[in-house]
């Protein structure tokens, strides 16, 4: 296990250096092109500075940047207790030193990712859609996959190399654009050079052009290849943690069946997710520019694991599915395969009946509101009343059964500030019906009428107003309207 | 004279290597202890949850006195167990009692829909998973530690300072066994 992590770390550092050299080379070529003979030093230094700043930024706040881009919000256990339980289970299974912080992305597309610096400082983000669509075993599979990314030190690597890749692409893009518009650098504008050095210049120009075009492509391909391999490895580690391949397999199946696109995902963050958030349903092409292996292939590999949960079993299943001709022959580093111990799989649990679709939709809505710090009160008539965080009134009217509820102000503010408040469940059950003395207003005629509620708020009723009761929007008091005509007619 | 220096150098080298091995053995032993205490925490949590479960279910399951006594007795037995072997056995029995309890619950749809009951059930399921995973982790650590004690050259240091192999934590029920069974013969 430890050897595996170490070999992974070394590879990350290797890739990091290769991409860094790519960036430096690009920088020096651009410098040379613009500033003449000694320009490459300036270019190199600028590229180095960019690299250092980018690395520092991504080391210290890469995770919070990514979480902010993805619109993920940190949540407390009462928003989704099961999610916290499942993450804690995986933390125990993988012997992580600290519990990852948990974020929910308020989006209906099912997906998840992990980010962070190291196992001591890591975060897991899942979408609301994922939570409402998956059952417990499937959720466990997904969380195990994310924990595997943390455990295998993929999180920092992916952030780092993503940032590096971004700077390479950015630099070469600027260079090529400026070439296009300016039609050449300083060397072409100065015509003092002799003929022989002119030829050299032409060669230099072509070389720098080729490099500027190739560097981002090569860096990208390398990044994608490694990213794909890491996905397989994380699947393998997830199985070793949960010992239950079917959970992850059916979770992936559900994720692949959705046709909702994750709104907050973009090209830069796509590689982080458990399944490519940008791919549409049914795209099964396995090409060089994919950050993820084709999802149905991953499912097939997982489903063909039958003997045990160790790495060697995953590699065997991979070979069986790919028929030994996959792009990447060995997805598991040798140290993982050499572990001979046979780890038994968990027994399959019986398949759960599919969730009612409308219920799933309601779950997503509730979950997104919970993430946005809405407060829920269950009325005795069964209606779940959702109170927005900026709700100011002290009473609440149930639109279905006309009961009045006192809003527990203290608990509400505690709920908004809080971390893991246990008294919350108690308060919800102890809220009693609170009836303020209703205000009675007698209609004078049948036209527009204006009056004051006993709280002082001005009310107006139109000629067509036919309800006998309504609620004061300021104090929450019931207002009863008595109709004059009826009494006078009788 | 040269031979003397050489001998001294060798002795110092052996001494340093032994210190390194000793330290790594201590580290591994502490890891084993730590993962054992993790199991203990989760087992205790489960013992705490069972009264909650019984309390929530009682109102709905009036005619299942036998089921309640079985689960309560299994709980007190598990709480009294001392050694690793005893614990494994008692916890296995408690496992059986709990799963039997949930089989009985299947006959009470009202109870299954109760929010409080669902919350307790989720907690219990999670605690059971946590027990299984911490057991998995404990056995991994024990395997590392035992391997180290038996392998050369750490076995010499282990023998000198009396490091003993640890017991694996295995559940009695054969179907429940999800940990690697290691044969040392």
């Amino acid at each position: 296990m430890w050897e595996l992590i170490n070999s992974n770390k070394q590879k990350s550092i290797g890739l990091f250096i290769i991409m860094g050299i790519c960036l430096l080379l690009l920088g020096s070529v651009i410098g040379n092109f613009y500033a003449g003979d000694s320009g490459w030093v300036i270019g190199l230094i600028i590229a180095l500075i960019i690299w250092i700043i980018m690395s520092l930024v991504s080391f210290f706040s890469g995770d919070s940047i990514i979480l902010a881009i993805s619109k993920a919000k940190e949540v407390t256990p009462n928003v989704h207790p099961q999610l916290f339980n499942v993450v804690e289970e995986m933390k125990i299974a993988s012997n992580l030193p600290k519990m990852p912080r948990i974020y929910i992305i308020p989006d209906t597309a099912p997906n998840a990712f992990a980010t962070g610096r190291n196992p001591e400082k890591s975060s897991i983000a899942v979408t609301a859609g994922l939570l409402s669509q998956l059952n417990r075993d499937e959720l466990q599979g997904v969380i195990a996959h994310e924990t595997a990314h943390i455990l295998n030190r993929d999180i920092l690597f992916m952030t780092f190399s993503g940032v590096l890749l971004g700077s390479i692409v950015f630099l070469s893009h600027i260079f090529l654009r400026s070439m296009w518009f300016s039609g050449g650098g300083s060397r072409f504008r100065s015509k003092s050079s002799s003929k022989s050095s002119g030829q050299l210049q032409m060669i230099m120009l072509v070389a720098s052009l080729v490099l500027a075009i190739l560097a981002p492509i090569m860096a990208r391909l390398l990044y994608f290849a490694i990213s794909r391999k890491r996905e397989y490895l994380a699947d393998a580690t997830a199985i070793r943690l949960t010992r239950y391949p079917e959970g992850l397999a059916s979770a992936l199946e559900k994720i692949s069946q959705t046709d909702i696109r994750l709104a907050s995902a973009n090209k830069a963050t796509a590689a982080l997710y458990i399944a490519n958030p940008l791919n549409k349903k049914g795209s099964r092409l396995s090409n060089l520019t994919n950050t993820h292996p084709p999802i149905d292939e991953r499912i097939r590999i997982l489903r063909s694991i039958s003997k045990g949960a160790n790495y060697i079993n995953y590699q065997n299943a991979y070979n069986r599915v790919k028929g030994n001709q996959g792009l990447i022959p060995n997805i598991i580093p040798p140290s993982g395969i050499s572990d001979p111990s046979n780890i038994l799989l968990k027994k399959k649990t019986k398949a759960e009946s599919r969730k009612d679709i409308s219920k799933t939709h309601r779950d997503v809505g509730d979950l997104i509101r919970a993430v946005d710090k809405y407060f829920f009160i269950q009325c005795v008539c069964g209606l779940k009343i959702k109170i927005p965080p900026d709700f100011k009134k002290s009473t609440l009217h149930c639109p279905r059964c006309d009961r009045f509820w006192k809003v527990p102000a203290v608990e509400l503010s505690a709920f908004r500030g809080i971390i893991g408040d246990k008294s919350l469940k108690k308060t919800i059950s102890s809220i009693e019906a609170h009836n303020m003395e209703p205000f009675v207003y007698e209609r004078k005629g049948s036209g527009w009428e204006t009056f004051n509620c006993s709280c002082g708020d001005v009310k107006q009723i139109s000629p067509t107003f036919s309800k006998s009761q309504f609620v004061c929007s300021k104090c929450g008091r019931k207002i009863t309207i008595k109709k004059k005509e009826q009494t006078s007619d009788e | 004279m040269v031979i003397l220096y050489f001998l001294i150098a060798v002795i110092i080298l052996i001494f340093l290597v032994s210190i390194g091995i000793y330290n790594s053995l201590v580290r591994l032993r502490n890891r084993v202890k730590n993962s054992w205490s993790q199991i203990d925490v989760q087992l205790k949590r489960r013992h705490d949850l069972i009264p909650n479960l019984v309390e929530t279910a009682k109102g709905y399951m009036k005619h299942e006195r036998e089921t309640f006594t079985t689960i309560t007795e299994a709980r007190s037995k598990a709480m009294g167990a001392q050694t690793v072997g005893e614990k494994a056995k008692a916890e296995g029995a408690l496992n059986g009692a709990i799963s039997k309890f949930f089989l009985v619950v299947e006959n009470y749809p009202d109870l299954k829909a109760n929010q409080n009951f669902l919350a307790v059930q989720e907690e219990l399921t999670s605690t059971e998973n946590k027990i299984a995973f911490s057991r998995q982790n404990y056995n991994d650590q024990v395997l590392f530690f035992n391997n180290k004690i038996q392998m050369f050259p750490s076995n010499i240091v282990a023998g000198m300072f009396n490091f003993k192999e640890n017991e694996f934590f295995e559940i009695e029920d054969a179907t429940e066994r999800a940990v690697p069974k290691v044969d040392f013969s």
Side-chain angles (χ1 to χ4, degrees), chain B residues 155-181:
Chain B
N155 60 349
I156 300 169
V157 182
M160 274 162 64
F161 292 97
N162 203 20
F163 282 92
K164 285 203 179 99
E165 279 178 38
N166 276 52
E167 245 178 293
F168 286 98
F169 184 30
E170 304 204 35
I171 292 290
E172 279 296 291
D173 184 4
T175 52
E176 267 285 308
R177 194 183 289 140
V179 289
K181 195 172 193 307

PDB file of all heavy atoms in Angstrom, chain B residues 155-181:
ATOM      1  N   ASN B 155      13.376  -9.663  13.066  1.00  0.00           N
ATOM      2  CA  ASN B 155      12.952 -10.666  14.042  1.00  0.00           C
ATOM      3  C   ASN B 155      13.927 -10.761  15.224  1.00  0.00           C
ATOM      4  O   ASN B 155      13.545 -11.064  16.341  1.00  0.00           O
ATOM      5  CB  ASN B 155      12.753 -12.024  13.368  1.00  0.00           C
ATOM      6  CG  ASN B 155      14.027 -12.538  12.713  1.00  0.00           C
ATOM      7  OD1 ASN B 155      15.002 -11.790  12.592  1.00  0.00           O
ATOM      8  ND2 ASN B 155      14.011 -13.789  12.317  1.00  0.00           N
ATOM      9  N   ILE B 156      15.218 -10.460  14.962  1.00  0.00           N
ATOM     10  CA  ILE B 156      16.207 -10.524  16.049  1.00  0.00           C
ATOM     11  C   ILE B 156      15.914  -9.431  17.084  1.00  0.00           C
ATOM     12  O   ILE B 156      15.833  -9.706  18.284  1.00  0.00           O
ATOM     13  CB  ILE B 156      17.635 -10.332  15.480  1.00  0.00           C
ATOM     14  CG1 ILE B 156      17.920 -11.447  14.461  1.00  0.00           C
ATOM     15  CG2 ILE B 156      18.663 -10.352  16.596  1.00  0.00           C
ATOM     16  CD1 ILE B 156      19.160 -11.209  13.650  1.00  0.00           C
ATOM     17  N   VAL B 157      15.716  -8.215  16.579  1.00  0.00           N
ATOM     18  CA  VAL B 157      15.413  -7.111  17.495  1.00  0.00           C
ATOM     19  C   VAL B 157      14.109  -7.381  18.227  1.00  0.00           C
ATOM     20  O   VAL B 157      13.992  -7.168  19.440  1.00  0.00           O
ATOM     21  CB  VAL B 157      15.314  -5.777  16.712  1.00  0.00           C
ATOM     22  CG1 VAL B 157      15.049  -4.621  17.646  1.00  0.00           C
ATOM     23  CG2 VAL B 157      16.593  -5.539  15.938  1.00  0.00           C
ATOM     24  N   ALA B 158      13.109  -7.880  17.486  1.00  0.00           N
ATOM     25  CA  ALA B 158      11.819  -8.173  18.095  1.00  0.00           C
ATOM     26  C   ALA B 158      11.968  -9.201  19.208  1.00  0.00           C
ATOM     27  O   ALA B 158      11.350  -9.085  20.268  1.00  0.00           O
ATOM     28  CB  ALA B 158      10.852  -8.674  17.031  1.00  0.00           C
ATOM     29  N   GLY B 159      12.829 -10.221  18.969  1.00  0.00           N
ATOM     30  CA  GLY B 159      13.061 -11.244  19.981  1.00  0.00           C
ATOM     31  C   GLY B 159      13.735 -10.652  21.213  1.00  0.00           C
ATOM     32  O   GLY B 159      13.366 -10.962  22.350  1.00  0.00           O
ATOM     33  N   MET B 160      14.710  -9.771  20.997  1.00  0.00           N
ATOM     34  CA  MET B 160      15.455  -9.183  22.118  1.00  0.00           C
ATOM     35  C   MET B 160      14.552  -8.347  23.009  1.00  0.00           C
ATOM     36  O   MET B 160      14.656  -8.384  24.234  1.00  0.00           O
ATOM     37  CB  MET B 160      16.587  -8.298  21.577  1.00  0.00           C
ATOM     38  CG  MET B 160      17.861  -9.073  21.290  1.00  0.00           C
ATOM     39  SD  MET B 160      18.942  -8.129  20.211  1.00  0.00           S
ATOM     40  CE  MET B 160      19.327  -6.735  21.224  1.00  0.00           C
ATOM     41  N   PHE B 161      13.645  -7.579  22.378  1.00  0.00           N
ATOM     42  CA  PHE B 161      12.817  -6.672  23.187  1.00  0.00           C
ATOM     43  C   PHE B 161      11.405  -7.214  23.412  1.00  0.00           C
ATOM     44  O   PHE B 161      10.513  -6.491  23.838  1.00  0.00           O
ATOM     45  CB  PHE B 161      12.758  -5.290  22.528  1.00  0.00           C
ATOM     46  CG  PHE B 161      14.090  -4.593  22.556  1.00  0.00           C
ATOM     47  CD1 PHE B 161      14.940  -4.621  21.467  1.00  0.00           C
ATOM     48  CD2 PHE B 161      14.495  -3.941  23.715  1.00  0.00           C
ATOM     49  CE1 PHE B 161      16.166  -4.008  21.508  1.00  0.00           C
ATOM     50  CE2 PHE B 161      15.720  -3.320  23.756  1.00  0.00           C
ATOM     51  CZ  PHE B 161      16.563  -3.350  22.650  1.00  0.00           C
ATOM     52  N   ASN B 162      11.262  -8.511  23.105  1.00  0.00           N
ATOM     53  CA  ASN B 162      10.015  -9.185  23.451  1.00  0.00           C
ATOM     54  C   ASN B 162       8.772  -8.562  22.789  1.00  0.00           C
ATOM     55  O   ASN B 162       7.778  -8.288  23.453  1.00  0.00           O
ATOM     56  CB  ASN B 162       9.851  -9.206  24.981  1.00  0.00           C
ATOM     57  CG  ASN B 162       8.926 -10.339  25.394  1.00  0.00           C
ATOM     58  OD1 ASN B 162       8.724 -11.275  24.621  1.00  0.00           O
ATOM     59  ND2 ASN B 162       8.383 -10.238  26.581  1.00  0.00           N
ATOM     60  N   PHE B 163       8.840  -8.279  21.480  1.00  0.00           N
ATOM     61  CA  PHE B 163       7.643  -7.874  20.731  1.00  0.00           C
ATOM     62  C   PHE B 163       6.852  -9.131  20.402  1.00  0.00           C
ATOM     63  O   PHE B 163       7.418 -10.102  19.908  1.00  0.00           O
ATOM     64  CB  PHE B 163       8.036  -7.180  19.424  1.00  0.00           C
ATOM     65  CG  PHE B 163       8.474  -5.761  19.608  1.00  0.00           C
ATOM     66  CD1 PHE B 163       9.810  -5.455  19.791  1.00  0.00           C
ATOM     67  CD2 PHE B 163       7.547  -4.735  19.603  1.00  0.00           C
ATOM     68  CE1 PHE B 163      10.217  -4.148  19.963  1.00  0.00           C
ATOM     69  CE2 PHE B 163       7.953  -3.423  19.769  1.00  0.00           C
ATOM     70  CZ  PHE B 163       9.296  -3.126  19.951  1.00  0.00           C
ATOM     71  N   LYS B 164       5.569  -9.093  20.679  1.00  0.00           N
ATOM     72  CA  LYS B 164       4.769 -10.302  20.430  1.00  0.00           C
ATOM     73  C   LYS B 164       3.810 -10.096  19.264  1.00  0.00           C
ATOM     74  O   LYS B 164       3.303  -8.997  19.050  1.00  0.00           O
ATOM     75  CB  LYS B 164       3.971 -10.657  21.685  1.00  0.00           C
ATOM     76  CG  LYS B 164       4.832 -11.272  22.766  1.00  0.00           C
ATOM     77  CD  LYS B 164       3.985 -12.118  23.723  1.00  0.00           C
ATOM     78  CE  LYS B 164       4.856 -12.753  24.772  1.00  0.00           C
ATOM     79  NZ  LYS B 164       4.855 -12.021  26.042  1.00  0.00           N
ATOM     80  N   GLU B 165       3.565 -11.191  18.552  1.00  0.00           N
ATOM     81  CA  GLU B 165       2.595 -11.109  17.454  1.00  0.00           C
ATOM     82  C   GLU B 165       1.207 -10.799  17.990  1.00  0.00           C
ATOM     83  O   GLU B 165       0.857 -11.216  19.084  1.00  0.00           O
ATOM     84  CB  GLU B 165       2.535 -12.451  16.716  1.00  0.00           C
ATOM     85  CG  GLU B 165       3.654 -12.631  15.734  1.00  0.00           C
ATOM     86  CD  GLU B 165       3.582 -13.979  15.057  1.00  0.00           C
ATOM     87  OE1 GLU B 165       2.466 -14.428  14.763  1.00  0.00           O
ATOM     88  OE2 GLU B 165       4.643 -14.575  14.835  1.00  0.00           O
ATOM     89  N   ASN B 166       0.438 -10.081  17.206  1.00  0.00           N
ATOM     90  CA  ASN B 166      -0.928  -9.753  17.632  1.00  0.00           C
ATOM     91  C   ASN B 166      -1.946 -10.696  17.008  1.00  0.00           C
ATOM     92  O   ASN B 166      -1.716 -11.256  15.947  1.00  0.00           O
ATOM     93  CB  ASN B 166      -1.260  -8.317  17.250  1.00  0.00           C
ATOM     94  CG  ASN B 166      -0.751  -7.341  18.271  1.00  0.00           C
ATOM     95  OD1 ASN B 166       0.424  -7.384  18.634  1.00  0.00           O
ATOM     96  ND2 ASN B 166      -1.610  -6.481  18.754  1.00  0.00           N
ATOM     97  N   GLU B 167      -3.086 -10.792  17.688  1.00  0.00           N
ATOM     98  CA  GLU B 167      -4.172 -11.629  17.195  1.00  0.00           C
ATOM     99  C   GLU B 167      -4.947 -10.874  16.117  1.00  0.00           C
ATOM    100  O   GLU B 167      -5.146  -9.658  16.250  1.00  0.00           O
ATOM    101  CB  GLU B 167      -5.145 -11.876  18.350  1.00  0.00           C
ATOM    102  CG  GLU B 167      -5.249 -13.298  18.820  1.00  0.00           C
ATOM    103  CD  GLU B 167      -6.226 -13.361  19.993  1.00  0.00           C
ATOM    104  OE1 GLU B 167      -5.914 -12.805  21.050  1.00  0.00           O
ATOM    105  OE2 GLU B 167      -7.283 -13.957  19.817  1.00  0.00           O
ATOM    106  N   PHE B 168      -5.421 -11.581  15.101  1.00  0.00           N
ATOM    107  CA  PHE B 168      -6.346 -10.949  14.154  1.00  0.00           C
ATOM    108  C   PHE B 168      -7.724 -10.880  14.788  1.00  0.00           C
ATOM    109  O   PHE B 168      -8.056 -11.677  15.647  1.00  0.00           O
ATOM    110  CB  PHE B 168      -6.431 -11.763  12.859  1.00  0.00           C
ATOM    111  CG  PHE B 168      -5.228 -11.616  12.002  1.00  0.00           C
ATOM    112  CD1 PHE B 168      -4.223 -12.562  12.020  1.00  0.00           C
ATOM    113  CD2 PHE B 168      -5.086 -10.522  11.176  1.00  0.00           C
ATOM    114  CE1 PHE B 168      -3.104 -12.414  11.237  1.00  0.00           C
ATOM    115  CE2 PHE B 168      -3.971 -10.376  10.386  1.00  0.00           C
ATOM    116  CZ  PHE B 168      -2.974 -11.325  10.428  1.00  0.00           C
ATOM    117  N   PHE B 169      -8.501  -9.911  14.359  1.00  0.00           N
ATOM    118  CA  PHE B 169      -9.856  -9.785  14.865  1.00  0.00           C
ATOM    119  C   PHE B 169     -10.807 -10.320  13.819  1.00  0.00           C
ATOM    120  O   PHE B 169     -11.051  -9.688  12.806  1.00  0.00           O
ATOM    121  CB  PHE B 169     -10.149  -8.318  15.174  1.00  0.00           C
ATOM    122  CG  PHE B 169     -11.496  -8.080  15.788  1.00  0.00           C
ATOM    123  CD1 PHE B 169     -12.088  -9.039  16.581  1.00  0.00           C
ATOM    124  CD2 PHE B 169     -12.162  -6.886  15.588  1.00  0.00           C
ATOM    125  CE1 PHE B 169     -13.313  -8.824  17.160  1.00  0.00           C
ATOM    126  CE2 PHE B 169     -13.403  -6.656  16.161  1.00  0.00           C
ATOM    127  CZ  PHE B 169     -13.978  -7.633  16.948  1.00  0.00           C
ATOM    128  N   GLU B 170     -11.304 -11.524  14.054  1.00  0.00           N
ATOM    129  CA  GLU B 170     -12.198 -12.127  13.068  1.00  0.00           C
ATOM    130  C   GLU B 170     -13.537 -12.442  13.701  1.00  0.00           C
ATOM    131  O   GLU B 170     -13.624 -12.852  14.841  1.00  0.00           O
ATOM    132  CB  GLU B 170     -11.559 -13.402  12.507  1.00  0.00           C
ATOM    133  CG  GLU B 170     -10.200 -13.089  11.921  1.00  0.00           C
ATOM    134  CD  GLU B 170      -9.774 -14.087  10.892  1.00  0.00           C
ATOM    135  OE1 GLU B 170     -10.634 -14.571  10.167  1.00  0.00           O
ATOM    136  OE2 GLU B 170      -8.576 -14.375  10.830  1.00  0.00           O
ATOM    137  N   ILE B 171     -14.565 -12.247  12.885  1.00  0.00           N
ATOM    138  CA  ILE B 171     -15.920 -12.484  13.373  1.00  0.00           C
ATOM    139  C   ILE B 171     -16.219 -13.969  13.206  1.00  0.00           C
ATOM    140  O   ILE B 171     -15.812 -14.610  12.236  1.00  0.00           O
ATOM    141  CB  ILE B 171     -16.909 -11.606  12.587  1.00  0.00           C
ATOM    142  CG1 ILE B 171     -16.680 -10.136  12.931  1.00  0.00           C
ATOM    143  CG2 ILE B 171     -18.327 -11.996  12.867  1.00  0.00           C
ATOM    144  CD1 ILE B 171     -17.074  -9.722  14.308  1.00  0.00           C
ATOM    145  N   GLU B 172     -16.963 -14.511  14.186  1.00  0.00           N
ATOM    146  CA  GLU B 172     -17.232 -15.944  14.219  1.00  0.00           C
ATOM    147  C   GLU B 172     -17.926 -16.437  12.954  1.00  0.00           C
ATOM    148  O   GLU B 172     -17.518 -17.416  12.344  1.00  0.00           O
ATOM    149  CB  GLU B 172     -18.111 -16.267  15.428  1.00  0.00           C
ATOM    150  CG  GLU B 172     -17.321 -16.384  16.718  1.00  0.00           C
ATOM    151  CD  GLU B 172     -16.350 -17.542  16.685  1.00  0.00           C
ATOM    152  OE1 GLU B 172     -16.824 -18.694  16.703  1.00  0.00           O
ATOM    153  OE2 GLU B 172     -15.127 -17.323  16.620  1.00  0.00           O
ATOM    154  N   ASP B 173     -18.963 -15.746  12.582  1.00  0.00           N
ATOM    155  CA  ASP B 173     -19.774 -16.162  11.439  1.00  0.00           C
ATOM    156  C   ASP B 173     -18.918 -16.177  10.158  1.00  0.00           C
ATOM    157  O   ASP B 173     -18.343 -15.172   9.780  1.00  0.00           O
ATOM    158  CB  ASP B 173     -20.937 -15.178  11.304  1.00  0.00           C
ATOM    159  CG  ASP B 173     -21.896 -15.593  10.203  1.00  0.00           C
ATOM    160  OD1 ASP B 173     -21.689 -16.679   9.616  1.00  0.00           O
ATOM    161  OD2 ASP B 173     -22.818 -14.835   9.940  1.00  0.00           O
ATOM    162  N   ALA B 174     -18.857 -17.338   9.526  1.00  0.00           N
ATOM    163  CA  ALA B 174     -17.940 -17.490   8.389  1.00  0.00           C
ATOM    164  C   ALA B 174     -18.322 -16.580   7.220  1.00  0.00           C
ATOM    165  O   ALA B 174     -17.464 -16.061   6.528  1.00  0.00           O
ATOM    166  CB  ALA B 174     -17.918 -18.935   7.931  1.00  0.00           C
ATOM    167  N   THR B 175     -19.619 -16.361   7.025  1.00  0.00           N
ATOM    168  CA  THR B 175     -20.038 -15.523   5.896  1.00  0.00           C
ATOM    169  C   THR B 175     -19.681 -14.063   6.133  1.00  0.00           C
ATOM    170  O   THR B 175     -19.550 -13.288   5.210  1.00  0.00           O
ATOM    171  CB  THR B 175     -21.557 -15.608   5.674  1.00  0.00           C
ATOM    172  OG1 THR B 175     -22.194 -15.338   6.920  1.00  0.00           O
ATOM    173  CG2 THR B 175     -21.957 -16.955   5.168  1.00  0.00           C
ATOM    174  N   GLU B 176     -19.538 -13.695   7.409  1.00  0.00           N
ATOM    175  CA  GLU B 176     -19.241 -12.317   7.748  1.00  0.00           C
ATOM    176  C   GLU B 176     -17.764 -12.003   7.556  1.00  0.00           C
ATOM    177  O   GLU B 176     -17.349 -10.867   7.614  1.00  0.00           O
ATOM    178  CB  GLU B 176     -19.587 -12.066   9.220  1.00  0.00           C
ATOM    179  CG  GLU B 176     -20.972 -11.531   9.428  1.00  0.00           C
ATOM    180  CD  GLU B 176     -21.049 -10.077   9.046  1.00  0.00           C
ATOM    181  OE1 GLU B 176     -20.217  -9.300   9.530  1.00  0.00           O
ATOM    182  OE2 GLU B 176     -21.924  -9.719   8.266  1.00  0.00           O
ATOM    183  N   ARG B 177     -16.978 -13.029   7.352  1.00  0.00           N
ATOM    184  CA  ARG B 177     -15.540 -12.817   7.357  1.00  0.00           C
ATOM    185  C   ARG B 177     -15.074 -12.148   6.081  1.00  0.00           C
ATOM    186  O   ARG B 177     -15.110 -12.726   5.006  1.00  0.00           O
ATOM    187  CB  ARG B 177     -14.829 -14.152   7.540  1.00  0.00           C
ATOM    188  CG  ARG B 177     -13.357 -13.982   7.888  1.00  0.00           C
ATOM    189  CD  ARG B 177     -12.672 -15.322   7.994  1.00  0.00           C
ATOM    190  NE  ARG B 177     -13.101 -16.056   9.173  1.00  0.00           N
ATOM    191  CZ  ARG B 177     -13.319 -17.356   9.176  1.00  0.00           C
ATOM    192  NH1 ARG B 177     -13.197 -18.050   8.094  1.00  0.00           N
ATOM    193  NH2 ARG B 177     -13.665 -17.949  10.283  1.00  0.00           N
ATOM    194  N   ALA B 178     -14.633 -10.926   6.173  1.00  0.00           N
ATOM    195  CA  ALA B 178     -14.217 -10.201   4.975  1.00  0.00           C
ATOM    196  C   ALA B 178     -12.753  -9.813   5.054  1.00  0.00           C
ATOM    197  O   ALA B 178     -12.271  -8.986   4.329  1.00  0.00           O
ATOM    198  CB  ALA B 178     -15.079  -8.961   4.813  1.00  0.00           C
ATOM    199  N   VAL B 179     -12.034 -10.418   5.969  1.00  0.00           N
ATOM    200  CA  VAL B 179     -10.626 -10.044   6.142  1.00  0.00           C
ATOM    201  C   VAL B 179      -9.740 -11.155   5.591  1.00  0.00           C
ATOM    202  O   VAL B 179     -10.155 -12.307   5.531  1.00  0.00           O
ATOM    203  CB  VAL B 179     -10.289  -9.834   7.625  1.00  0.00           C
ATOM    204  CG1 VAL B 179     -10.947  -8.575   8.116  1.00  0.00           C
ATOM    205  CG2 VAL B 179     -10.718 -11.010   8.441  1.00  0.00           C
ATOM    206  N   PRO B 180      -8.522 -10.816   5.170  1.00  0.00           N
ATOM    207  CA  PRO B 180      -7.643 -11.857   4.639  1.00  0.00           C
ATOM    208  C   PRO B 180      -7.287 -12.877   5.712  1.00  0.00           C
ATOM    209  O   PRO B 180      -6.978 -12.518   6.841  1.00  0.00           O
ATOM    210  CB  PRO B 180      -6.412 -11.072   4.212  1.00  0.00           C
ATOM    211  CG  PRO B 180      -6.461  -9.806   4.974  1.00  0.00           C
ATOM    212  CD  PRO B 180      -7.893  -9.506   5.174  1.00  0.00           C
ATOM    213  N   LYS B 181      -7.384 -14.126   5.351  1.00  0.00           N
ATOM    214  CA  LYS B 181      -6.991 -15.164   6.296  1.00  0.00           C
ATOM    215  C   LYS B 181      -5.565 -15.556   5.940  1.00  0.00           C
ATOM    216  O   LYS B 181      -5.280 -16.004   4.846  1.00  0.00           O
ATOM    217  CB  LYS B 181      -7.907 -16.377   6.151  1.00  0.00           C
ATOM    218  CG  LYS B 181      -7.800 -17.327   7.323  1.00  0.00           C
ATOM    219  CD  LYS B 181      -8.872 -18.391   7.213  1.00  0.00           C
ATOM    220  CE  LYS B 181      -9.070 -19.204   8.469  1.00  0.00           C
ATOM    221  NZ  LYS B 181      -7.916 -19.813   9.033  1.00  0.00           N
TER     222      LYS B 181
END
